[in-house]
Amino acid sequence: MGEEIKTDLVLAENQWIETERLILRPVTLADTEDVYEYASDEVTTRFLFPANQSLAETRANIATSFIKDPLGKYGIELKKSGKLIGTTDIRVNDHNGTAEIGYALNSAYWGNGYMPEATAALLKLGFEQLDLVRIFATHDVRNSNSERIMEKLHMKKEGLISDAERRNGEVVSLVIRGITRSEWLALQQTENS
């Protein structure tokens, strides 16, 4: 079985992931109002993408970004209320055994540990089931909230990419952070002993 086929199968088998407080699941058009709530909030979107201007724009973005190609992409739902509070994804590169994770969280839910909980589940999926060697993420140098999430995941700073890209009409520099399979396994042993 080719690596890409195996990856697709593992991701298809893991479209629903449950954590202590969250359900990671496919995003659907029924989530439009919850997604619009944070996708239209400039505090939430400042370092990510231009704020959505309408429910129609959010519906179109859900169709294009989540429904068209759903594998590895998750809505983050609170178990207690069923409210979708953000999204996260894992983008696997089968050729080199790595993946990049990304995320967005409604600013009304910042500071509760939801994003580290959600992304830790993706690290587990990546290292235990996808047999990845490294998982990484990037954040705008000014985004200290994202930096703290990556630190909680024990992702080490690997570098700075100056003037990396244009986001929301400005040139931004990005920090890249990563964790290897061996580092992650060592952390699991420490936490379980």
Side-chain angles (χ1 to χ4, degrees):
M1 185 183 311
E3 288 302 312
E4 189 172 312
I5 293 170
K6 178 183 175 228
T7 296
D8 288 347
L9 179 59
V10 170
L11 292 174
E13 291 171 341
N14 290 278
Q15 290 186 73
W16 290 73
I17 301 172
E18 195 169 323
T19 68
E20 183 181 340
R21 301 175 295 165
L22 306 170
I23 296 172
L24 306 185
R25 59 156 178 86
V27 179
T28 71
L29 291 176
D31 298 311
T32 299
E33 287 186 14
D34 285 346
V35 173
Y36 179 72
E37 184 178 312
Y38 69 84
S40 63
D41 172 28
E42 292 186 7
V43 173
T44 299
T45 65
R46 177 178 176 210
F47 300 113
L48 302 172
F49 51 82
N52 287 195
Q53 301 301 307
S54 67
L55 284 168
E57 180 182 1
T58 299
R59 283 176 60 82
N61 288 339
I62 289 171
T64 302
S65 299
F66 294 96
I67 296 172
K68 181 179 177 183
D69 185 18
L71 296 181
K73 300 173 183 176
Y74 301 90
I76 302 168
E77 178 184 305
L78 290 176
K79 278 185 184 178
K80 280 186 177 179
S81 65
K83 182 171 182 63
L84 190 95
I85 60 169
T87 57
T88 187
D89 69 317
I90 183 166
R91 298 176 293 277
V92 178
N93 182 327
D94 287 309
H95 181 69
N96 61 21
T98 64
E100 181 176 5
I101 59 172
Y103 44 80
L105 182 69
N106 186 325
S107 63
Y109 296 89
W110 289 0
N112 293 294
Y114 293 130
M115 195 51 72
E117 184 176 331
T119 48
L122 295 187
L123 294 183
K124 181 176 180 167
L125 174 67
F127 291 129
E128 287 186 355
Q129 295 189 52
L130 294 168
D131 196 31
L132 299 173
V133 296
R134 178 174 163 273
I135 297 175
F136 67 97
T138 62
H139 68 83
D140 186 308
V141 293
R142 302 165 297 169
N143 190 345
S144 59
N145 290 330
S146 192
E147 180 178 40
R148 277 194 300 280
I149 291 165
M150 293 179 201
E151 288 171 347
K152 288 178 182 179
L153 295 170
H154 303 281
M155 298 176 90
K156 295 178 181 173
K157 184 175 178 180
E158 298 175 334
L160 170 68
I161 308 165
S162 297
D163 295 346
E165 62 189 31
R166 191 178 314 271
R167 282 191 190 172
N168 289 340
E170 59 185 338
V171 176
V172 300
S173 297
L174 299 176
V175 173
I176 186 166
R177 291 180 169 270
I179 186 169
T180 66
R181 177 183 172 83
S182 58
E183 290 167 342
W184 184 83
L185 288 170
L187 285 167
Q188 301 315 298
Q189 289 177 344
T190 302
E191 290 173 5
N192 294 329
S193 59

